[in-house]
Amino acid sequence: MKKHIFLIFAALLFFASVKAETRQERDSLKHEVRIGWGDQMFESLMWQISSPVAIYPTTPFLNPADVRQYRDERFRYHQHWFAEYQYRFNRWFGMGFMLDCSGVSWETATRNGFGDVIDRSKRKYFYNIAMMPNFRFTFYNHKYVSLYGALGVGLNINSGTEKNIFGDLTDFGFVANATVLGVAVNYQRWFLNFEYGGMYSMKNQNTVFMIKSRMFTLSFGVTL
């Protein structure tokens, strides 16, 4: 379903595009729309199964068969998927809004004293929906290549199958996204962006949702 929505949106952008041959023509176009992908390196480091040797002794026959061990396994990292609209006030400053969605899912395995799986839970998961205004500062602007930095600050919604310390399934927190360096490759009205930075989100010092997640992003879009 996600792939179908992604392809439909890309097709709409394609049919909406027309030529913009020069930098001056491109700079006269004030609206930018893009969609993209970001990595989940932070999530893959924080949510993962421990070493099997640490979980299950190398001499499992010493454990009674009726011992039960519970471990989270089969983690799946669904990456960051985002959409952004930007309004370009001039050649060096733009402001817009970004929506970023990400998530992780896994299963809990029940093993006996010999390490054999005797049961698996239904898939568990959590997701983050980050919504924020985004400010972009372009410090190099060429017909084919632009370099920029960006900063976004807003609200993150965290939810899923897991409860917080108050028994709630849904939690809210501050979110910020910093683009240290962004590179835009432009062709007519199309552009391809590569960014390095990080997304941070937390409710307080004891509830952290993301730390330097989404370090690398790749996106494409069109100016209108």
Side-chain angles (χ1 to χ4, degrees):
M1 183 64 181
K2 291 181 180 178
K3 291 182 179 179
H4 293 148
I5 295 174
F6 189 84
L7 292 174
I8 291 171
F9 190 65
L12 291 174
L13 291 181
F14 176 79
F15 288 116
S17 65
V18 296
K19 282 189 175 182
E21 293 290 353
T22 66
R23 189 185 71 184
Q24 288 74 22
E25 289 174 337
R26 182 167 53 81
D27 289 343
S28 68
L29 303 171
K30 299 298 184 181
H31 306 277
E32 289 187 3
V33 180
R34 65 171 177 147
I35 53 178
W37 162 91
D39 70 272
Q40 275 194 318
M41 278 195 243
F42 166 75
E43 288 85 350
S44 63
L45 291 173
M46 292 298 296
W47 285 276
Q48 58 176 301
I49 187 171
S50 303
S51 168
V53 175
I55 300 170
Y56 310 112
T58 55
T59 55
F61 58 85
L62 295 179
N63 293 328
D66 59 352
V67 168
R68 295 294 178 263
Q69 304 177 44
Y70 305 93
R71 299 301 301 182
D72 292 332
E73 302 177 354
R74 295 186 176 180
F75 283 86
R76 293 181 60 190
Y77 309 99
H78 302 287
Q79 310 303 305
H80 286 264
W81 299 97
F82 66 95
E84 181 181 4
Y85 164 79
Q86 278 268 331
Y87 179 82
R88 300 177 60 187
F89 289 92
N90 50 45
R91 289 176 55 190
W92 65 271
F93 178 69
M95 183 175 69
F97 185 83
M98 182 171 68
L99 175 67
D100 180 278
C101 301
S102 62
V104 177
S105 60
W106 66 94
E107 296 176 359
T108 299
T110 303
R111 296 177 182 265
N112 60 21
F114 299 105
D116 300 322
V117 176
I118 58 176
D119 186 36
R120 286 192 180 275
S121 70
K122 293 182 179 179
R123 184 159 291 276
K124 300 180 179 180
Y125 65 91
F126 74 83
Y127 60 84
N128 289 297
I129 300 176
M131 302 173 287
M132 69 192 79
N134 204 31
F135 305 91
R136 185 185 300 174
F137 306 91
T138 303
F139 54 87
Y140 179 76
N141 197 350
H142 189 266
K143 176 181 177 181
Y144 297 113
V145 178
S146 301
L147 303 178
Y148 61 90
L151 178 65
V153 178
L155 173 70
N156 182 60
I157 302 173
N158 175 273
S159 190
T161 59
E162 306 305 289
K163 295 181 180 181
N164 62 17
I165 58 175
F166 302 105
D168 300 320
L169 291 172
T170 302
D171 218 338
F172 303 89
F174 163 86
V175 64
N177 184 72
T179 300
V180 178
L181 177 62
V183 180
V185 180
N186 311 293
Y187 176 71
Q188 297 183 0
R189 286 198 176 188
W190 288 101
F191 58 86
L192 180 69
N193 287 20
F194 174 79
E195 297 176 346
Y196 169 75
M199 181 173 283
Y200 305 81
S201 179
M202 61 186 299
K203 181 175 183 179
N204 50 51
Q205 62 181 0
N206 298 317
T207 307
V208 178
F209 304 121
M210 290 179 280
I211 298 179
K212 204 170 177 58
S213 184
R214 220 182 81 133
M215 288 179 59
F216 300 97
T217 69
L218 186 65
S219 60
F220 73 95
V222 65
T223 55
L224 303 170

